Amino acid sequence: MINKLIQKIQKTNAPIVVGLDPTMKFVPEHIRRAAFAEYGETLEGAAEAIWQYNKGIVDAIYDLVPAVKPQIAMYEQFGIPGLIAFQKTVNYCKEKELVVIGDIKRGDIGSTSEAYAVGHLGKVQVGQSFCSGFDEDFVTVNPYLGSDGVRPFMNVCKAEHKGIFVLVKTSNPSSGELQDRLVSAGESRTGGEEAGERPVYEIVGSQVAAWGAECMPESGDYSYVGAVVGATYPEQGRILRKIMPRTFILVPGYGAQGGKGADLVHFFNEDGLGAIINSSRGIIAAYQQEKYARFGEAGYAEAAREAVLDMKRDIVSCLN
Amino acid sequence: MINKLIQKIQKTNAPIVVGLDPTMKFVPEHIRRAAFAEYGETLEGAAEAIWQYNKGIVDAIYDLVPAVKPQIAMYEQFGIPGLIAFQKTVNYCKEKELVVIGDIKRGDIGSTSEAYAVGHLGKVQVGQSFCSGFDEDFVTVNPYLGSDGVRPFMNVCKAEHKGIFVLVKTSNPSSGELQDRLVSAGESRTGGEEAGERPVYEIVGSQVAAWGAECMPESGDYSYVGAVVGATYPEQGRILRKIMPRTFILVPGYGAQGGKGADLVHFFNEDGLGAIINSSRGIIAAYQQEKYARFGEAGYAEAAREAVLDMKRDIVSCLN
């Protein structure tokens, strides 16, 4: 799947992923009105609204980008109906040949991580049958529990030709509270050996590189164990790029969170690959920005398309 | 909700939470057969089987314990039908007056954590209405993203009188890879001030204590921001108990994962409170142990009841 992602990036010339993170305040009024008319102001009504909204966006951008990243929390907040909209969105995007990165940030003890891995990337055994739950192509994984929590995902990825992105340095303002802590030289209380004083994100980055070395596809330069590093921390991105040379980096935080095109150069390798930049609000709610106001609410999908084209120009010009 | 949990612990004299983590291999054959006869070997069939299995367990133990902890991964692996079974389980346990701790281990950037908090503990706005998604009483939260990722849960807890347990030191073998790393004296790269060299779990424990101080109920000694510390690490439990004196500790890892009653003493305060011990497999699959084999598959629920009574004796005798 990492090779499919890379091929699609090369074909579209767009190392871009569109974050499908719908909230009700982004959904144009005509879509909300129609959904509420059918289902009322209920979870079902909300789910119908975000599904129709997503469908409009996907129809407008699917030929421009290699991948989408639905953030499951934005669906889970609407309970079961919301999760049905998540599943419909995943399936629709796959029909459109988009690579789907489920932004689920799961991670637990071994047997529990296995259940998440099976439910989102693999197949679960029921009697003599094997059934798919959500069936994304990639998911994001939280590393706080250590390798027990990550290996079950690696195993399912190997069997199913899928991939993960492990959180290393997240884009949010408080990410440094834990991730920037300096770890003292050469030891943890349960062993491990590294020299010098290094921040937690470097320790995790080194682990991701090691896990990734075990998870190389039969051909190609990049592992199917990737990393998440926020666009808002370009200096850390530069360091992590070196620590994890064969790791694909998923980079959130461009646009609305403050990351700029010029900040992104260091996330890429010299082959022009190795990173994919996410924008969510900046694309899907572009019509609410002054720059794209001419499209109006009714033209929200066309505004999203225009915003993707602008983002592509910004990133490609910085890479050249 | 923390006070309700404490009152129920006192009333039942059982600082015990039963982990409702069903897997197909725990479900007795007669339940599986009936579910598959109705729905086939499908996700729906699996979901029906785990729901009926759960119902039997809950009916057998609800008068003995204050709380249950369904692990959402075990439901999510069965996709939408599995999550419907999760919701039915949550609702049924609440009808039985059990406190429900959703073991979801979510945590993300601020706006995304807010969506999780609203979906699991609060109400989401849809038009002019406010709707509940999953509506647990407590959830578990992952701290890797720092306070941005935790505060939205705190805010919803404050408004809705609910609570959280933040992962501090998890029960799994590899938890030390990150959580035991020694952080060097007095600084993180983004500020912060602590003296001396301390493991990551102590840093997180201190943060939990600080968050907890902001989240005290109107009366009572314990905060509604709790912590997760594994029974498998009693020495760390002893230290964390002192760092977080007003924090309720959710202690997984008793029984099947290797934690013993005698290990648990240090997780409690001198008031005999401050901790609640989880057992999952050890209770819900007790009938598969030699000790409870006399109950047979058909008596799986009675075996679970007996295992709860034994666990209660073990813990209460250690506390005295």
Side-chain angles (χ1 to χ4, degrees):
Chain A
M1 192 51 73
I2 185 67
N3 288 337
K4 181 177 172 191
L5 178 62
I6 291 168
Q7 283 155 18
K8 285 196 62 93
I9 289 172
Q10 290 172 323
K11 195 173 151 201
T12 55
N13 191 29
I16 291 175
V17 52
V18 173
L20 297 175
D21 306 359
T23 74
M24 290 308 281
K25 66 179 190 281
F26 297 161
V27 179
E29 214 223 320
H30 68 280
I31 294 177
R32 271 184 281 142
R33 205 170 43 225
F36 294 165
E38 194 169 354
Y39 297 98
E41 291 183 349
T42 60
L43 296 176
E44 287 77 11
E48 171 67 10
I50 61 176
W51 155 241
Q52 293 296 342
Y53 169 69
N54 278 351
K55 197 165 166 300
I57 302 268
V58 172
D59 287 342
I61 57 99
Y62 76 93
D63 59 322
L64 298 179
V65 296
V68 290
K69 181 175 75 62
Q71 165 53 263
I72 198 170
M74 297 324 214
Y75 304 82
E76 201 165 316
Q77 69 179 326
F78 300 112
I80 299 291
L83 287 160
I84 293 172
F86 176 79
Q87 187 171 41
K88 282 159 83 171
T89 300
V90 169
N91 292 345
Y92 190 70
C93 292
K94 287 172 75 177
E95 278 173 33
K96 293 285 186 185
E97 291 286 325
L98 287 159
V99 172
V100 178
I101 303 168
D103 197 354
I104 65 172
K105 296 190 178 66
R106 305 299 197 243
D108 209 298
I109 67 168
S111 53
T112 308
S113 269
E114 190 183 343
Y116 281 129
V118 154
H120 284 277
L121 298 172
K123 292 183 188 68
V124 64
Q125 186 166 4
V126 182
Q128 303 304 310
S129 303
F130 290 86
C131 308
S132 288
F134 290 102
D135 207 19
E136 299 103 300
D137 297 317
F138 288 84
V139 294
T140 55
V141 174
N142 186 307
Y144 190 69
L145 285 88
S147 42
D148 292 351
V150 179
R151 288 202 173 277
F153 286 96
M154 291 161 60
N155 294 340
V156 171
C157 286
K158 185 162 286 193
E160 302 281 343
H161 302 290
K162 300 237 172 151
I164 56 173
F165 293 96
V166 179
L167 304 188
V168 175
K169 172 67 185 167
T170 57
S171 61
N172 57 314
S174 76
S175 70
E177 287 176 13
L178 177 57
Q179 298 161 28
D180 290 1
R181 291 278 176 171
L182 293 175
V183 170
S184 57
E187 49 165 348
S188 76
R189 284 196 182 165
T190 55
E193 287 181 49
E194 276 98 13
E197 193 172 64
R198 299 200 300 162
V200 165
Y201 64 79
E202 286 190 24
I203 305 284
V204 178
S206 299
Q207 279 196 310
V208 168
W211 292 325
E214 295 177 39
C215 294
M216 293 297 296
E218 283 182 24
S219 65
D221 294 330
Y222 289 96
S223 169
Y224 50 84
V225 172
V228 175
V229 183
T232 41
Y233 298 104
E235 183 53 27
Q236 289 89 332
R238 191 182 59 76
I239 295 163
L240 287 163
R241 179 67 290 165
K242 286 184 185 151
I243 292 176
M244 316 180 295
R246 303 184 82 176
T247 302
F248 228 84
I249 304 179
L250 171 63
V251 186
Y254 174 88
Q257 285 183 56
K260 293 181 190 67
D263 295 334
L264 302 172
V265 186
H266 302 305
F267 292 87
F268 289 86
N269 274 324
E270 295 199 349
D271 59 3
L273 288 168
I276 185 163
I277 316 299
N278 179 78
S279 178
S280 302
R281 271 170 287 177
I283 305 292
I284 68 172
Y287 79 94
Q288 294 182 344
Q289 296 172 43
E290 204 178 310
K291 187 176 175 187
Y292 304 102
R294 68 184 184 280
F295 290 98
E297 267 195 285
Y300 78 100
E302 292 74 18
R305 185 176 176 89
E306 192 67 25
V308 168
L309 292 168
D310 286 344
M311 181 178 171
K312 189 171 154 179
R313 271 188 289 271
D314 181 33
I315 290 172
V316 171
S317 75
C318 292
L319 287 182
N320 288 340
Chain B
M1 192 50 74
I2 185 67
N3 288 336
K4 183 178 172 190
L5 178 62
I6 291 168
Q7 283 155 18
K8 285 194 64 92
I9 289 172
Q10 289 172 324
K11 194 173 151 200
T12 55
N13 191 29
I16 290 175
V17 52
V18 173
L20 297 175
D21 306 357
T23 75
M24 289 310 280
K25 66 178 190 281
F26 298 161
V27 179
E29 214 222 322
H30 68 281
I31 295 177
R32 269 183 283 142
R33 204 170 43 225
F36 294 165
E38 193 169 354
Y39 296 98
E41 291 183 347
T42 60
L43 296 176
E44 288 76 11
E48 171 68 11
I50 60 175
W51 156 241
Q52 293 297 340
Y53 168 69
N54 279 350
K55 198 166 166 300
I57 302 267
V58 172
D59 287 342
I61 57 99
Y62 76 94
D63 59 322
L64 298 179
V65 296
V68 290
K69 180 176 76 64
Q71 166 54 262
I72 199 169
M74 297 326 219
Y75 305 81
E76 201 166 315
Q77 68 180 325
F78 299 113
I80 298 291
L83 287 160
I84 292 172
F86 176 80
Q87 188 171 41
K88 282 159 84 171
T89 300
V90 170
N91 292 344
Y92 190 70
C93 292
K94 287 173 74 175
E95 278 172 33
K96 294 284 186 185
E97 290 287 325
L98 288 159
V99 172
V100 178
I101 302 168
D103 197 354
I104 65 173
K105 294 191 179 66
R106 305 300 197 244
D108 209 298
I109 67 168
S111 53
T112 308
S113 270
E114 190 184 341
Y116 281 129
V118 154
H120 285 277
L121 298 172
K123 293 184 187 70
V124 64
Q125 186 165 4
V126 182
Q128 303 303 310
S129 304
F130 290 85
C131 308
S132 287
F134 291 102
D135 208 19
E136 299 104 300
D137 297 317
F138 287 85
V139 294
T140 54
V141 173
N142 186 305
Y144 191 69
L145 285 88
S147 43
D148 292 351
V150 179
R151 288 202 172 276
F153 286 97
M154 291 161 61
N155 294 339
V156 171
C157 286
K158 185 162 287 193
E160 302 282 343
H161 303 289
K162 301 233 173 154
I164 55 174
F165 293 96
V166 179
L167 304 187
V168 175
K169 172 67 183 166
T170 56
S171 61
N172 57 313
S174 75
S175 71
E177 286 176 11
L178 177 57
Q179 297 161 28
D180 290 1
R181 291 278 175 170
L182 294 175
V183 170
S184 56
E187 51 166 348
S188 75
R189 283 196 182 166
T190 54
E193 286 180 53
E194 277 99 13
E197 195 172 64
R198 300 200 299 163
V200 165
Y201 64 78
E202 287 190 24
I203 305 284
V204 177
S206 298
Q207 278 196 310
V208 169
W211 291 325
E214 294 176 41
C215 293
M216 293 299 294
E218 282 183 24
S219 65
D221 294 331
Y222 290 96
S223 170
Y224 49 86
V225 173
V228 176
V229 183
T232 41
Y233 298 104
E235 183 53 29
Q236 289 89 332
R238 192 182 59 74
I239 294 163
L240 287 163
R241 179 68 287 166
K242 286 184 187 153
I243 293 176
M244 316 179 296
R246 304 185 81 177
T247 301
F248 228 84
I249 304 180
L250 171 63
V251 187
Y254 174 89
Q257 285 184 56
K260 293 179 190 68
D263 295 336
L264 302 173
V265 186
H266 301 306
F267 292 88
F268 289 86
N269 274 323
E270 296 199 348
D271 59 3
L273 289 168
I276 185 162
I277 316 299
N278 180 77
S279 178
S280 303
R281 271 170 288 177
I283 305 292
I284 66 172
Y287 78 96
Q288 295 182 345
Q289 296 172 45
E290 204 177 310
K291 187 176 176 188
Y292 304 103
R294 68 183 183 281
F295 290 98
E297 266 195 287
Y300 79 99
E302 291 74 17
R305 184 176 177 88
E306 193 67 25
V308 168
L309 291 167
D310 287 343
M311 180 176 172
K312 189 172 154 178
R313 271 188 289 272
D314 182 33
I315 290 173
V316 171
S317 75
C318 292
L319 286 183
N320 289 339

